[in-house]
Amino acid sequence: MNPSSPSAAVGKRSRSEAAFQEARQVLPGGVNSPVRAFRSVGGNPVFMERASGAYIWDIDGNHYVDYVGTWGPAILGHAHPQVIKRIREVAEHGTSFGAPTLIETELARLVIDMVPSIEKVRFVNSGTEAVMSAIRLARAYTGRTKIIKFEGCYHGHSDYLLVKAGSGAATHGVPDSAGVPATTAAETLNARFNDLESVQMLCEANPGQIAGILIEPVAGNMGCVPPEPGFLEGLRKLATETGACLIFDEVMTGFRVAPGGAQQRYGVTPDITCLGKIIGGGLPVGAYGGKKDIMAQVAPEGPMYQAGTLSGNPLAMAAGLETLKLLQQPGVYEQLEKITHLLCREMGELLKQKGIPHYTTQVGSMMTLFFTENPVKNYQDVCTFDRDRFNRYFWGMLDNGVYLAPSQFEAAFVSLSHTDAEIQKTLEAAEQALR
Ligand code: KE4
């Protein structure tokens, strides 16, 4: 039990504690992805066993209203019966052949129909792979090497993108992880989210060298931070003027904030789009796509090499296809928007009553409650949050049956399975957690 957590409405978590001690013997940090280790909130992670709809159960038998949603894919709710049924049916005939299958073309056609900028798409196995490949594509297409990204945005763990602004911020980045060569990092520049001038300055300092401007059109990895009016339009204009590719990393926002992602919601068309999470319906799928003349660079059609043993495997394609089909049903996105707005409104009211400084953001069915009184427009603003208050909130919510991302720098995800009942449970938990 975390020392700062109040008495638990949820039962003990002793099996999780024991499981974590064992996992640490064989897995670095006891996990297969760092954020799961709960390091930023202190204490040890909860081991989960099953999930259904809006709920997840831990190995001690406690259950929680889930707002992590496996970091985005579970937009329908966990274990949707039609998705599970489809996975079972396809698995009976084999999971992967390493050969073309009809279902890859079917999913590709659906993605092309849904996402305005995509005329051709390549499936890969993660968001990291999608963005890594998109950068190589932008470099192949433009013949240039430098990439502009934005502080606070995360695009997976490829070397090109584990890069922060260094002393020579205007002309080169520096590694933000051990193992990333300085020479690699030097090709990546960091601008400030919602600050067009910071992008303009980098373009002027590196004339004719920018291969791509890469952005999460709605930031989700510094918490949910929407683009200010005109910001995405300004990036579009800059990319066109300078000959750089505008790359939208829609791994999180794709099929989340609108059927056609952020590019549909905000009416700004990128040159290359990266997808992940929801597109796999909970199985490992990523994708990158764009106009035919850009995608013509991709092998075997063109000179840019990219490959993958399990890319387009029928099992993952089936999960993604079934998920996207279900998302196309009438009223789905209105329902997601409505229930998420209810959550934001009611939580805001509660914090106001308690006199707790906060700033809430929502785009579609992703949202973040920031424990800061300042408006949040970029990464620097997020960093003003009250860490102790957040950590007490996190553990209080967990102890009262609500599972949140263990970091202020993450978004919460609402699914089609979240109803008024789950919002009510969340408010009751918050009433306890925010005492
Ligand atoms: P994956 O390689 O984790 O599938 O995708 C990387 C990625 C790329 N782009 C965006 C916008 C992303 O949000 C992500 C991954 N998101 C994190 C959560 N913020 C995944 C959770 C984790 O790293 O364990």
Side-chain angles (χ1 to χ4, degrees):
M1 188 72 74
N2 176 275
S4 69
S5 70
S7 59
V10 159
K12 61 178 180 29
R13 286 191 287 263
S14 50
R15 290 188 68 197
S16 272
E17 290 295 335
F20 184 57
Q21 298 316 320
E22 185 177 347
R24 291 171 69 183
Q25 308 306 313
V26 293
L27 298 166
V31 292
N32 283 302
S33 200
V35 70
R36 304 178 191 171
F38 280 23
R39 293 245 168 138
S40 66
V41 291
N44 295 330
V46 180
F47 278 59
M48 297 301 180
E49 185 164 69
R50 66 185 176 92
S52 176
Y55 291 89
I56 193 164
W57 281 259
D58 69 19
I59 61 173
D60 287 284
N62 304 303
H63 71 278
Y64 309 87
V65 178
D66 178 25
Y67 288 102
V68 176
T70 180
W71 303 100
I75 190 168
L76 296 173
H78 289 287
H80 188 288
Q82 287 174 252
V83 176
I84 298 299
K85 176 173 179 289
R86 193 75 192 101
I87 290 172
R88 281 204 178 104
E89 287 166 355
V90 171
E92 294 287 342
H93 301 294
T95 55
S96 180
F97 314 133
T101 58
L102 294 175
I103 198 165
E104 294 162 80
T105 306
E106 191 181 355
L107 181 56
R109 285 206 180 282
L110 182 52
V111 169
I112 290 165
D113 287 348
M114 292 179 77
V115 184
S117 65
I118 296 182
E119 292 179 342
K120 276 197 175 177
V121 62
R122 167 63 61 86
F123 294 118
V124 293
N125 299 283
S126 69
T128 292
E129 215 184 330
V131 181
M132 178 178 73
S133 307
I135 287 172
R136 187 179 306 136
L137 176 57
R139 287 171 166 164
Y141 183 68
T142 62
R144 302 173 179 180
T145 60
K146 289 198 185 267
I147 295 291
I148 293 175
K149 68 177 288 288
F150 293 79
E151 290 167 307
C153 286
Y154 174 72
H155 305 284
H157 62 83
S158 66
D159 281 359
Y160 319 138
L161 295 165
L162 295 179
V163 176
K164 61 188 175 191
S167 54
T171 54
H172 62 276
V174 296
D176 198 14
S177 163
V180 174
T183 49
T184 302
E187 297 295 340
T188 303
L189 307 168
N190 273 276
R192 182 169 290 198
F193 197 80
N194 279 324
D195 178 349
L196 271 177
E197 278 180 29
S198 71
V199 189
Q200 183 101 32
M201 184 273 284
L202 293 177
C203 291
E204 288 166 2
N206 300 274
Q209 300 173 58
I210 308 295
I213 299 172
L214 169 67
I215 191 161
E216 295 178 60
V218 175
N221 287 285
M222 50 174 129
C224 173
V225 181
E228 287 293 283
F231 178 57
L232 296 178
E233 294 84 346
L235 291 181
R236 176 64 276 168
K237 184 167 177 292
L238 256 178
T240 303
E241 286 168 354
T242 58
C245 288
L246 180 59
I247 307 170
F248 273 11
D249 176 351
E250 296 226 43
V251 166
M252 189 184 286
T253 56
F255 317 110
R256 166 65 61 179
V257 300
Q263 57 194 269
Q264 180 186 51
R265 190 178 183 105
Y266 294 99
V268 175
T269 303
D271 299 301
I272 301 170
T273 296
C274 307
L275 298 166
K277 295 183 191 277
I278 292 171
I279 195 174
L283 295 193
V285 178
Y288 62 98
K291 296 289 178 264
K292 282 177 181 166
D293 70 316
I294 298 177
M295 294 302 286
Q297 292 286 325
V298 181
E301 200 171 312
M304 184 211 107
Y305 195 71
Q306 181 270 311
T309 302
L310 293 171
S311 296
N313 72 79
L315 189 61
M317 295 288 101
L321 190 59
E322 198 60 28
T323 299
L324 296 192
K325 283 178 181 174
L326 288 164
L327 285 173
Q328 290 200 300
Q329 290 176 335
V332 159
Y333 285 88
E334 291 77 5
Q335 171 59 24
L336 285 165
E337 196 93 27
K338 179 166 162 272
I339 196 76
T340 308
H341 175 70
L342 175 67
L343 173 67
C344 294
R345 190 189 68 207
E346 295 303 307
M347 285 294 283
E349 275 306 308
L350 180 62
L351 282 122
K352 200 169 152 193
Q353 283 165 21
K354 290 179 174 289
I356 298 174
H358 66 283
Y359 184 84
T360 306
T361 58
Q362 176 199 348
V363 181
S365 54
M366 58 193 275
M367 61 80 67
T368 297
L369 170 60
F370 292 100
F371 285 97
T372 175
E373 59 196 354
N374 311 314
V376 173
K377 306 294 180 190
N378 58 43
Y379 181 67
Q380 287 70 22
D381 294 341
V382 178
C383 291
T384 66
F385 83 101
D386 178 339
R387 183 178 295 274
D388 179 55
R389 162 76 72 182
F390 176 83
N391 290 356
R392 283 188 285 116
Y393 169 69
F394 171 79
W395 285 103
M397 293 295 270
L398 191 72
D399 290 341
N400 285 279
V402 176
Y403 188 60
L404 301 173
S407 166
Q408 175 74 97
F409 297 89
E410 297 290 351
F413 298 106
V414 180
S415 83
L416 269 179
S417 298
H418 286 76
T419 70
D420 291 2
E422 282 67 50
I423 304 308
Q424 188 52 39
K425 284 181 182 174
T426 306
L427 293 167
E428 287 163 9
E431 180 60 54
Q432 298 300 315
L434 295 166
R435 279 185 183 290

